[in-house]
Structures are given as C-alpha cells and as structure tokens.
Amino acid sequence: MTSQKTPQTMKPATAAKKLGVYLEATPAEFREGVVSRDELNALQADPPEWLRDLRRNGPHPRPVVAAKLGISISGLARGGITEPLTTEEIDALKAESPEWLQRERATQAEVRKEAARQKEK
C-alpha cells in the first residue's frame, strides 16, 4: 500500500516570486505552466540565460526594486513608484537621488537601527 508521491507544484506567480523576477517579463512557457519544486530548484541552481538576464537587467518586481534602493516597499509607494523598474532605471534613480528617496533611506536606516536595538535587548 505505498502511494505514489506526486511532485509538489506551484503557480508561475509563486515561482517567479521565489526566483525574484517579474512574472510578466518571463517567457510564455514559464507563465503558462506549473512549476514543480524540482524545476524551481534546477532554475535556482543553474539559471537559464533568460533568468540570468532578468535578474541582471530587469524589469524587477517591487521587493527587488525596494531592496536595490535600500528602502521599504511602502516607501516605494510613497515615492510614487508602482511599476517594475529596470536596473538602468534604478541606477538613474540612485544617481538622481530625489528628496523622497533620501527621506525613505533615512527612515529605513532608523527602522534597521531600532530593530538591531530591540534584538540586543
């Protein structure tokens, strides 16, 4: 009475999130199928060219954009950034360093400092 183990699968949106890429920028065959846990592990271990290119150049999803800018996702929204950005656009924002970005970075630095202080207690 041993049952056949079925492979764990996930929706493409979940797999894209785990891979840190913007789903709409992935190839159609990735978006239209399901991804097994083994396939996800293979993509992470040996990423194909399209995945390397997406990670390098974007467009990047909001969590990745926020991390690259050193701010929170909420800070992105407060700054008016609601769409995915490419690496080039992120670099341009960093170079421009608008006032809202400086303010959000300062806020994020305070949050990190407070978290570190709480952890020490």
Side-chain angles (χ1 to χ4, degrees):
M1 281 225 181
T2 59
S3 63
Q4 188 77 3
K5 267 188 119 175
T6 58
Q8 246 187 335
T9 60
M10 61 192 83
K11 294 178 183 175
T14 304
K17 187 175 182 179
K18 289 179 181 286
L19 292 169
V21 295
Y22 182 56
L23 178 63
E24 301 305 314
T26 59
E29 61 268 9
F30 181 83
R31 286 192 308 265
E32 294 165 0
V34 292
V35 181
S36 72
R37 175 71 61 191
D38 292 337
E39 289 169 334
L40 179 69
N41 290 340
L43 285 171
Q44 288 173 326
D46 185 24
E49 186 58 37
W50 65 264
L51 182 55
R52 287 194 299 268
D53 187 49
L54 273 179
R55 286 178 169 168
R56 184 175 40 252
N57 302 318
H60 303 288
R62 287 181 311 153
V64 175
V65 173
K68 286 179 178 272
L69 290 174
I71 62 175
S72 67
I73 296 173
S74 300
L76 271 181
R78 286 190 292 270
I81 307 294
T82 57
E83 297 296 314
L85 299 179
T86 63
T87 301
E88 192 175 289
E89 292 168 326
I90 293 169
D91 291 342
L93 252 179
K94 284 181 180 177
E96 185 182 312
S97 192
E99 190 256 324
W100 69 265
L101 181 58
Q102 293 174 23
R103 187 175 55 247
E104 291 300 333
R105 282 183 166 169
T107 300
Q108 191 67 15
E110 286 297 317
V111 168
R112 287 188 187 116
K113 192 161 58 173
E114 178 64 19
R117 189 181 72 76
Q118 291 290 333
K119 189 176 180 182
E120 285 179 8
K121 281 189 168 183

